[in-house]
């Protein structure tokens, strides 16, 4: 068993600071190389965690295309966000293919930023499958992934661990843990505040690099 803390990954947390209002913001001098000359951007949320971030970014009026791929349907989703219904078990990753709806959203003239939470079934499955598909089709993409809480159990940790090791081969794979966000704030936070801070962190990164 290789624990997540032992995986040699670039953490996205180091790019952030606490502003005078106590919120997490991206350092203004941080420019991720992926964003150089960025024109056509397509933000895709994979699974529940990734789709939560997509909904937040769309409400912030980030100028981009938005797609959510998950199950079940999200009834309050904005009309500006394309929804694709897809559900899979991570254990079926070698036997289940991406649907044509998912493959058809890929365009070499766009750059893709994928948001996901590793450790669950649908989001982890989709992240591995879509990144492989984009890579094989010579399409530019970035992955921003959250890692599971320690209390989510060994099965969740194991799935995230395995997926993270596979995703490290891609140059634009970034990850963070919710514990890191709490430590950055150096204060106790409830789940709602923690998720809000994560959403703001991602928004700040996109805004700084747009």
């Amino acid at each position: 068993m290789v624990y997540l803390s032992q995986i040699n990954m670039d953490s996205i947390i180091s790019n952030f600071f606490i502003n005078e209002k106590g919120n997490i913001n991206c350092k203004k001098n941080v420019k991720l190389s992926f964003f150089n000359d960025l024109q056509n951007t397509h933000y895709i949320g994979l699974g529940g965690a990734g789709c939560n971030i997509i909904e937040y970014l769309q409400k912030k009026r980030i100028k981009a295309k938005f797609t959510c791929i998950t199950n079940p349907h999200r009834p309050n989703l904005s009309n500006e966000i394309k929804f694709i219904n897809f559900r899979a078990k991570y254990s079926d990753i070698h036997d289940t293919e991406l649907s044509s709806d998912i493959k058809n959203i890929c365009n070499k003239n766009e750059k893709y930023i994928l948001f996901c939470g590793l450790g669950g079934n649908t989001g982890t499955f989709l992240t591995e499958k879509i990144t492989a598909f984009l890579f094989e089709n010579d399409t530019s993409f970035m992955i921003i992934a959250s890692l599971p809480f320690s209390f989510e159990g060994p099965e969740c940790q194991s799935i995230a661990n395995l997926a993270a090791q596979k995703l490290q081969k891609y140059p634009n794979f970034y990850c963070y843990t919710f514990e890191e966000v709490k430590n950055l704030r150096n204060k106790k936070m409830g789940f709602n505040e923690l998720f809000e801070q994560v959403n703001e962190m991602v928004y700040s990164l996109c805004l700084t690099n747009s």
Side-chain angles (χ1 to χ4, degrees), residues 4 9 116-119 145-149 152 157 160-161 164 173 175-180:
L4 287 170
M9 298 187 254
C116 65
L118 298 181
S146 64
L147 302 178
F149 289 99
E152 291 185 75
Q157 294 281 343
N161 183 10
F173 171 51
C175 66
Y176 61 90
T177 68
F178 292 101
E179 280 83 1
E180 286 179 299

Side-chain angles (χ1 to χ4, degrees), residues 161-172:
N161 183 10
L162 179 61
Q165 291 184 70
K166 294 177 182 177
L167 294 169
Q168 284 185 94
K169 66 182 179 182
Y170 301 114
N172 294 311

Side-chain angles (χ1 to χ4, degrees), residues 48-77:
C51 291
N52 288 340
I53 291 178
I54 291 299
E55 290 195 67
Y56 189 86
L57 293 178
Q58 187 275 325
K59 289 177 182 177
K60 287 287 191 176
R61 314 309 301 175
I62 290 283
K63 294 181 179 180
K65 290 183 179 180
F66 298 97
T67 298
C68 281
I69 309 176
T70 190
N71 178 279
H73 180 69
R74 302 168 83 91
N76 298 319
L77 203 64

Side-chain angles (χ1 to χ4, degrees), residues 29 170 186:
N29 62 340
Y170 301 114
N186 195 27

